[in-house]
Amino acid sequence: DIQMTQSPSTLSASVGDRVTITCRASQNINSWLAWYQQKPGKAPKLLIHTASSLESGVPSRFSGSGSETEFSLTISSLQPDDVATYYCQQYKSYSYTFGQGTKLEIK
Amino acid sequence: EVQLVEAGGGLVQPGGSLRLSCAASGFTFSDYYMDWVRQAPGKGLEWVGRIRNKRNSYRTEYAASVKGRFTILRDDSKNSLYLQMNSLKTEDTAVYYCGRPGGSYSGGYFDDWGQGTLVTVSS
C-alpha cells in the first residue's frame, strides 16, 4: 500500500496567518491526491481534489499544490472557522490511504 | 441534494457479526461506485472498501485489514449500500461512513459522506 505521511501532526497559528500542511507519498501518485477538513463529531468535508482543484463552495483561501510525492495544503489567511483536523488521501491505487491527520488550532 | 444515511451500528461482541446500511438519495445511485471509510475513536480515517456498479459487475475492493471478514453489497432497487461485517475484532471499533465518489461515478475521492454510524466491538 502507498503510505501517506503528513506534517506537522499539530499546528498552532494566529488568525490571519498563512498556514501550510505537507503530505508526502511513499511512491509517485501523480496528482491523485485529495484534502479533507474534519471538525469534531462531523464527517470529513472535501476541500481539494487532483492535488490543486478547489471543490465548489470551498473558500478561496484554501489552495493545494504539488505532484508525484510531495504535496501541500495552504490556508492563506487563517480564520477561526478553520479549526479542524486536515487529512490528505491518495487515490492512485487501491487500497486508498489517508495521512494520519494534522490538527490545526488557533493561538 | 445528495443524502447518505448510515444505520445499523451498535455494540457487538468479538467474533460477532453486524450489517450496516447506507440509504442514498439525490443522485442516480446505480451509476455510482460506493465506498466505506471508517474512523476509530480519536484516530484517523481508514478506507475500508469499494463496490463498483452493475456495468462493472459489482466487483469489490477491500483493505487488507478487513479482507475475508467484511463484504460490501448493494441493492440498486432500494438505493442502498451495505457492509456485512463478520468475525469482528475489537480493533474494528469505529465510526463507519459511506462515501460517494466525486468527479465521476468512479472517482477516487469522496465529495459526499454520510453522518456515520458507530460500531463498538467489546465483550
Side-chain angles (χ1 to χ4, degrees), chain B residues 75-90:
Chain B
D75 185 338
D76 291 343
S77 69
K78 295 181 178 179
N79 287 346
S80 291
L81 174 72
Y82 304 98
L83 180 64
Q84 177 65 44
M85 303 186 292
N86 298 331
S87 304
L88 281 160
K89 306 175 181 180
T90 55

Side-chain angles (χ1 to χ4, degrees), chain B residues 60-81:
Chain B
T60 52
E61 305 285 346
Y62 296 97
S65 58
V66 306
K67 197 168 187 178
R69 300 187 300 122
F70 288 13
T71 302
I72 299 176
L73 305 156
R74 65 190 296 163
D75 185 338
D76 291 343
S77 69
K78 295 181 178 179
N79 287 346
S80 291
L81 174 72

Side-chain angles (χ1 to χ4, degrees), chain B residues 9-62:
Chain B
L11 176 63
V12 61
Q13 291 189 336
S17 298
L18 202 61
R19 185 166 181 154
L20 306 183
S21 64
C22 170
S25 60
F27 65 103
T28 306
F29 177 77
S30 59
D31 284 348
Y32 278 77
Y33 296 12
M34 291 295 294
D35 295 67
W36 287 98
V37 176
R38 68 183 180 182
Q39 186 170 37
K43 302 298 184 182
L45 300 166
E46 180 186 17
W47 177 80
V48 172
R50 159 168 285 193
I51 186 166
R52 295 175 176 83
N53 55 19
K54 182 178 180 180
R55 195 180 328 148
N56 289 279
S57 306
Y58 300 126
R59 284 183 293 122
T60 52
E61 305 285 346
Y62 296 97

Side-chain angles (χ1 to χ4, degrees), chain A residues 1 34 36 38 41-46 48-50 55 87 89-91 94-100, chain B residues 33 35 37 39 43-47 50 52 61-64 97 106-111 113-115:
Chain A
D1 291 358
Y36 301 88
Q38 188 180 34
K42 300 293 187 183
K45 174 187 174 183
L46 177 68
I48 303 278
H49 64 85
T50 328
E55 177 70 356
Y87 295 94
Q89 178 226 336
Q90 69 80 18
Y91 50 100
Y94 300 116
S95 300
Y96 295 155
T97 44
F98 292 85
Q100 81 279 15
Chain B
Y33 296 12
D35 295 67
V37 176
Q39 186 170 37
K43 302 298 184 182
L45 300 166
E46 180 186 17
W47 177 80
R50 159 168 285 193
R52 295 175 176 83
E61 305 285 346
Y62 296 97
Y97 297 100
S106 62
Y109 60 90
F110 312 110
D111 64 356
W113 300 67
Q115 85 288 353

